[in-house]
Amino acid sequence: MPRGRDRSEGRAAAGRGARIAAWLLVALMPLATPAGAGGDDDVAIVAAGFGDPTTRYDHAILGDDIEWGALRLRTADGRRLLVRLPTSRVFEDTAPRLADVDGDGAAEVIVVETDLSLGASLAVYDAGGLVARTPFIGRPHRWLAPVGAADLDGDGRVEIAYVDRPHLLRRLRVVRLAGGRLHEIAAIDGVTNHRIGDRDISGGVRDCGTGPEMVLLDPGWRRILVARLRPAGGEGAGTSAGIVLVDAGPNAPGRLAAVMACREAR
């Protein structure tokens, strides 16, 4: 029996209906061109959504057993593109995220791509297809939860942050695209941003006027944590940087949203 099946049927049915409804909205767009065919890979992606709902992966980490077999993209020049995964993989995610990861002025798409035998990876796509991905975790039913993408250390380059195995390892990793690969530049343990069965990923990236910060929680979901990436010298892709964690107070009702909106008490 897939994980998550022991949750209430009402909640599962509501979540499943919402995810299928989101797919149907995307599916209304005419699609003809596979990603990577007939266009430059530096054109901006202006909209993205998942398609081809599937139950071929029995993880149910997001509250039901529906994942996605395709990624649908719309580009700034009006093309509709389709990325269809092999049957050994799914997109195991809440929604695609748009960000200019390579600094060329055109947005790419960040998603969680999962291999049925090897678990999750963080992947970046553009109009030309796959740009880069992190290694798959290495075993099934192991997942990662994206935090967000921004110039986290103020050096002019965009980083992507995610929590590796938010229910087990609870490690925040920060990666940067360089030379066609996602290089890890910093990591720290003891944080999370998701609970098994939750439909959403909590926290994210905020900017309260002093630069982007990552908003997370402690493993017990009792404290809200704000993480900052310290600048590091050097221009190499493997340059290390440190992460500083600051306790932003208790995780009381409504406080996480207040912290994300820069309204927490100081």
Side-chain angles (χ1 to χ4, degrees), residues 25-45:
L25 288 174
V26 176
L28 292 175
M29 298 190 304
L31 295 162
T33 309
D40 297 329
D41 58 9
D42 58 355
V43 66
I45 306 297

PDB file of all heavy atoms in Angstrom, residues 25-45:
ATOM      1  N   LEU A  25      -6.105  22.560 -16.292  1.00  0.00           N
ATOM      2  CA  LEU A  25      -5.891  23.934 -16.740  1.00  0.00           C
ATOM      3  C   LEU A  25      -4.693  24.016 -17.664  1.00  0.00           C
ATOM      4  O   LEU A  25      -4.720  24.698 -18.685  1.00  0.00           O
ATOM      5  CB  LEU A  25      -5.685  24.851 -15.528  1.00  0.00           C
ATOM      6  CG  LEU A  25      -6.925  25.124 -14.686  1.00  0.00           C
ATOM      7  CD1 LEU A  25      -6.533  25.924 -13.448  1.00  0.00           C
ATOM      8  CD2 LEU A  25      -7.973  25.878 -15.489  1.00  0.00           C
ATOM      9  N   VAL A  26      -3.610  23.316 -17.307  1.00  0.00           N
ATOM     10  CA  VAL A  26      -2.425  23.324 -18.158  1.00  0.00           C
ATOM     11  C   VAL A  26      -2.696  22.598 -19.463  1.00  0.00           C
ATOM     12  O   VAL A  26      -2.271  23.012 -20.536  1.00  0.00           O
ATOM     13  CB  VAL A  26      -1.248  22.659 -17.420  1.00  0.00           C
ATOM     14  CG1 VAL A  26      -0.047  22.562 -18.322  1.00  0.00           C
ATOM     15  CG2 VAL A  26      -0.897  23.469 -16.180  1.00  0.00           C
ATOM     16  N   ALA A  27      -3.452  21.509 -19.398  1.00  0.00           N
ATOM     17  CA  ALA A  27      -3.672  20.678 -20.572  1.00  0.00           C
ATOM     18  C   ALA A  27      -4.483  21.384 -21.647  1.00  0.00           C
ATOM     19  O   ALA A  27      -4.514  20.935 -22.787  1.00  0.00           O
ATOM     20  CB  ALA A  27      -4.371  19.386 -20.163  1.00  0.00           C
ATOM     21  N   LEU A  28      -5.152  22.483 -21.298  1.00  0.00           N
ATOM     22  CA  LEU A  28      -5.920  23.210 -22.293  1.00  0.00           C
ATOM     23  C   LEU A  28      -5.032  23.914 -23.306  1.00  0.00           C
ATOM     24  O   LEU A  28      -5.493  24.280 -24.389  1.00  0.00           O
ATOM     25  CB  LEU A  28      -6.828  24.240 -21.595  1.00  0.00           C
ATOM     26  CG  LEU A  28      -7.959  23.643 -20.754  1.00  0.00           C
ATOM     27  CD1 LEU A  28      -8.694  24.757 -20.015  1.00  0.00           C
ATOM     28  CD2 LEU A  28      -8.934  22.863 -21.623  1.00  0.00           C
ATOM     29  N   MET A  29      -3.766  24.138 -22.984  1.00  0.00           N
ATOM     30  CA  MET A  29      -2.869  24.825 -23.909  1.00  0.00           C
ATOM     31  C   MET A  29      -2.501  23.907 -25.056  1.00  0.00           C
ATOM     32  O   MET A  29      -2.186  22.735 -24.835  1.00  0.00           O
ATOM     33  CB  MET A  29      -1.588  25.272 -23.192  1.00  0.00           C
ATOM     34  CG  MET A  29      -1.810  26.253 -22.076  1.00  0.00           C
ATOM     35  SD  MET A  29      -0.251  26.945 -21.471  1.00  0.00           S
ATOM     36  CE  MET A  29       0.633  25.481 -21.028  1.00  0.00           C
ATOM     37  N   PRO A  30      -2.515  24.432 -26.301  1.00  0.00           N
ATOM     38  CA  PRO A  30      -2.081  23.583 -27.414  1.00  0.00           C
ATOM     39  C   PRO A  30      -0.596  23.310 -27.322  1.00  0.00           C
ATOM     40  O   PRO A  30       0.207  24.197 -27.070  1.00  0.00           O
ATOM     41  CB  PRO A  30      -2.408  24.440 -28.649  1.00  0.00           C
ATOM     42  CG  PRO A  30      -2.426  25.842 -28.145  1.00  0.00           C
ATOM     43  CD  PRO A  30      -2.925  25.772 -26.731  1.00  0.00           C
ATOM     44  N   LEU A  31      -0.206  22.044 -27.505  1.00  0.00           N
ATOM     45  CA  LEU A  31       1.185  21.641 -27.405  1.00  0.00           C
ATOM     46  C   LEU A  31       1.566  20.857 -28.640  1.00  0.00           C
ATOM     47  O   LEU A  31       0.864  19.961 -29.059  1.00  0.00           O
ATOM     48  CB  LEU A  31       1.399  20.761 -26.166  1.00  0.00           C
ATOM     49  CG  LEU A  31       1.154  21.485 -24.840  1.00  0.00           C
ATOM     50  CD1 LEU A  31       0.958  20.474 -23.749  1.00  0.00           C
ATOM     51  CD2 LEU A  31       2.291  22.415 -24.532  1.00  0.00           C
ATOM     52  N   ALA A  32       2.679  21.243 -29.244  1.00  0.00           N
ATOM     53  CA  ALA A  32       3.090  20.547 -30.456  1.00  0.00           C
ATOM     54  C   ALA A  32       4.567  20.236 -30.487  1.00  0.00           C
ATOM     55  O   ALA A  32       4.984  19.278 -31.118  1.00  0.00           O
ATOM     56  CB  ALA A  32       2.717  21.386 -31.686  1.00  0.00           C
ATOM     57  N   THR A  33       5.384  21.047 -29.812  1.00  0.00           N
ATOM     58  CA  THR A  33       6.827  20.963 -29.970  1.00  0.00           C
ATOM     59  C   THR A  33       7.481  20.379 -28.729  1.00  0.00           C
ATOM     60  O   THR A  33       7.285  20.906 -27.639  1.00  0.00           O
ATOM     61  CB  THR A  33       7.416  22.361 -30.222  1.00  0.00           C
ATOM     62  OG1 THR A  33       6.699  22.973 -31.287  1.00  0.00           O
ATOM     63  CG2 THR A  33       8.888  22.277 -30.568  1.00  0.00           C
ATOM     64  N   PRO A  34       8.255  19.299 -28.842  1.00  0.00           N
ATOM     65  CA  PRO A  34       8.985  18.811 -27.670  1.00  0.00           C
ATOM     66  C   PRO A  34      10.081  19.783 -27.289  1.00  0.00           C
ATOM     67  O   PRO A  34      10.643  20.465 -28.145  1.00  0.00           O
ATOM     68  CB  PRO A  34       9.566  17.473 -28.148  1.00  0.00           C
ATOM     69  CG  PRO A  34       9.636  17.591 -29.632  1.00  0.00           C
ATOM     70  CD  PRO A  34       8.489  18.469 -30.038  1.00  0.00           C
ATOM     71  N   ALA A  35      10.390  19.880 -26.000  1.00  0.00           N
ATOM     72  CA  ALA A  35      11.485  20.742 -25.566  1.00  0.00           C
ATOM     73  C   ALA A  35      12.761  20.326 -26.275  1.00  0.00           C
ATOM     74  O   ALA A  35      13.061  19.142 -26.417  1.00  0.00           O
ATOM     75  CB  ALA A  35      11.658  20.653 -24.054  1.00  0.00           C
ATOM     76  N   GLY A  36      13.524  21.320 -26.720  1.00  0.00           N
ATOM     77  CA  GLY A  36      14.773  21.045 -27.404  1.00  0.00           C
ATOM     78  C   GLY A  36      14.626  21.008 -28.909  1.00  0.00           C
ATOM     79  O   GLY A  36      15.618  20.895 -29.617  1.00  0.00           O
ATOM     80  N   ALA A  37      13.396  21.104 -29.418  1.00  0.00           N
ATOM     81  CA  ALA A  37      13.194  21.042 -30.861  1.00  0.00           C
ATOM     82  C   ALA A  37      12.790  22.395 -31.399  1.00  0.00           C
ATOM     83  O   ALA A  37      11.872  23.022 -30.901  1.00  0.00           O
ATOM     84  CB  ALA A  37      12.105  20.019 -31.194  1.00  0.00           C
ATOM     85  N   GLY A  38      13.493  22.855 -32.395  1.00  0.00           N
ATOM     86  CA  GLY A  38      13.078  24.024 -33.137  1.00  0.00           C
ATOM     87  C   GLY A  38      13.197  25.338 -32.412  1.00  0.00           C
ATOM     88  O   GLY A  38      12.407  26.240 -32.644  1.00  0.00           O
ATOM     89  N   GLY A  39      14.143  25.518 -31.499  1.00  0.00           N
ATOM     90  CA  GLY A  39      14.271  26.806 -30.837  1.00  0.00           C
ATOM     91  C   GLY A  39      15.544  26.912 -30.048  1.00  0.00           C
ATOM     92  O   GLY A  39      16.214  25.930 -29.764  1.00  0.00           O
ATOM     93  N   ASP A  40      15.889  28.153 -29.679  1.00  0.00           N
ATOM     94  CA  ASP A  40      17.081  28.393 -28.886  1.00  0.00           C
ATOM     95  C   ASP A  40      16.797  28.093 -27.426  1.00  0.00           C
ATOM     96  O   ASP A  40      15.700  28.324 -26.928  1.00  0.00           O
ATOM     97  CB  ASP A  40      17.527  29.849 -29.036  1.00  0.00           C
ATOM     98  CG  ASP A  40      17.930  30.190 -30.460  1.00  0.00           C
ATOM     99  OD1 ASP A  40      18.417  29.284 -31.164  1.00  0.00           O
ATOM    100  OD2 ASP A  40      17.739  31.360 -30.845  1.00  0.00           O
ATOM    101  N   ASP A  41      17.832  27.613 -26.717  1.00  0.00           N
ATOM    102  CA  ASP A  41      17.628  27.298 -25.319  1.00  0.00           C
ATOM    103  C   ASP A  41      17.768  28.511 -24.414  1.00  0.00           C
ATOM    104  O   ASP A  41      17.612  28.390 -23.200  1.00  0.00           O
ATOM    105  CB  ASP A  41      18.579  26.182 -24.867  1.00  0.00           C
ATOM    106  CG  ASP A  41      20.044  26.555 -25.075  1.00  0.00           C
ATOM    107  OD1 ASP A  41      20.329  27.718 -25.408  1.00  0.00           O
ATOM    108  OD2 ASP A  41      20.888  25.660 -24.895  1.00  0.00           O
ATOM    109  N   ASP A  42      18.062  29.711 -24.973  1.00  0.00           N
ATOM    110  CA  ASP A  42      18.189  30.898 -24.139  1.00  0.00           C
ATOM    111  C   ASP A  42      16.938  31.757 -24.163  1.00  0.00           C
ATOM    112  O   ASP A  42      16.933  32.862 -23.628  1.00  0.00           O
ATOM    113  CB  ASP A  42      19.414  31.730 -24.544  1.00  0.00           C
ATOM    114  CG  ASP A  42      19.366  32.175 -26.005  1.00  0.00           C
ATOM    115  OD1 ASP A  42      18.435  31.760 -26.731  1.00  0.00           O
ATOM    116  OD2 ASP A  42      20.267  32.941 -26.410  1.00  0.00           O
ATOM    117  N   VAL A  43      15.853  31.290 -24.766  1.00  0.00           N
ATOM    118  CA  VAL A  43      14.602  32.027 -24.733  1.00  0.00           C
ATOM    119  C   VAL A  43      13.948  31.800 -23.377  1.00  0.00           C
ATOM    120  O   VAL A  43      14.045  30.725 -22.792  1.00  0.00           O
ATOM    121  CB  VAL A  43      13.665  31.585 -25.881  1.00  0.00           C
ATOM    122  CG1 VAL A  43      13.224  30.133 -25.700  1.00  0.00           C
ATOM    123  CG2 VAL A  43      12.457  32.493 -25.981  1.00  0.00           C
ATOM    124  N   ALA A  44      13.296  32.824 -22.844  1.00  0.00           N
ATOM    125  CA  ALA A  44      12.732  32.743 -21.502  1.00  0.00           C
ATOM    126  C   ALA A  44      11.520  31.823 -21.461  1.00  0.00           C
ATOM    127  O   ALA A  44      10.695  31.808 -22.376  1.00  0.00           O
ATOM    128  CB  ALA A  44      12.340  34.137 -21.016  1.00  0.00           C
ATOM    129  N   ILE A  45      11.411  31.089 -20.371  1.00  0.00           N
ATOM    130  CA  ILE A  45      10.186  30.370 -20.049  1.00  0.00           C
ATOM    131  C   ILE A  45       9.298  31.335 -19.268  1.00  0.00           C
ATOM    132  O   ILE A  45       9.720  31.897 -18.265  1.00  0.00           O
ATOM    133  CB  ILE A  45      10.470  29.116 -19.203  1.00  0.00           C
ATOM    134  CG1 ILE A  45      11.502  28.211 -19.891  1.00  0.00           C
ATOM    135  CG2 ILE A  45       9.185  28.360 -18.921  1.00  0.00           C
ATOM    136  CD1 ILE A  45      11.086  27.654 -21.219  1.00  0.00           C
TER     137      ILE A  45
END
